Amino acid sequence: MKKRKAPLRKCVSCNEMKHKRELLRIVCNKLGEVTIDKTGKKDGRGAYVCYSNACFEKARKTKALNRVFKKQVSEEVYNHLELEIKENER
Ligand SMILES: [Zn+2]
C-alpha cells in the first residue's frame, strides 16, 4: 500500500508546522469572503490555526487572520472560529 505523506501546514498563531488534520482551515475566497473550512476543500487562500484555545486567543488578539488575508476579518469569523475550536480542542 502506498503511504501518502501527510502535508504540513503552518499555524498562523504559533507558527508551528503541523499535520493538516490537527489544524482548522480558514479560507478567503475570490470574493474576499472569509469562512471556516472544516472540509479543507474550499477554493481560495487558506490559513490554518491549531485546535487550541491558546492559539485561537493569540490569533484573535494579534488579528493574525487580518494579516494573512490582508483584509479586515469580521468579529463574526473570529467568534465562529472560537466555537469551532472550543468544541474540538485537542
Ligand atoms: Zn498554533
Side-chain angles (χ1 to χ4, degrees):
M1 245 178 79
K2 258 197 248 169
K3 255 194 182 171
R4 283 176 79 195
K5 226 175 107 186
L8 291 175
R9 294 289 183 272
K10 195 165 82 170
C11 168
V12 295
S13 184
C14 64
N15 289 319
E16 269 183 54
M17 300 291 292
K18 297 200 176 189
H19 288 164
K20 266 175 98 170
R21 58 158 187 254
E22 292 178 77
L23 300 160
L24 180 58
R25 183 168 190 252
I26 304 107
V27 71
C28 183
N29 68 17
K30 277 186 197 143
L31 305 173
E33 293 160 347
V34 178
T35 51
I36 290 170
D37 177 19
K38 284 198 279 186
T39 63
K41 292 195 169 81
K42 287 187 190 173
D43 279 335
R45 214 194 125 109
Y48 297 83
V49 185
C50 305
Y51 275 105
S52 131
N53 228 355
C55 280
F56 165 74
E57 290 297 345
K58 192 178 159 204
R60 173 146 74 180
K61 221 178 271 171
T62 60
K63 298 198 182 301
L65 294 176
N66 302 32
R67 269 204 325 271
V68 173
F69 297 132
K70 296 189 172 66
K71 71 185 295 290
Q72 198 61 39
V73 175
S74 71
E75 203 49 37
E76 217 183 312
V77 172
Y78 282 103
N79 290 341
H80 190 173
L81 256 183
E82 181 175 26
L83 283 177
E84 206 51 60
I85 286 173
K86 281 198 171 142
E87 268 176 31
N88 297 288
E89 197 176 5
R90 292 163 196 183

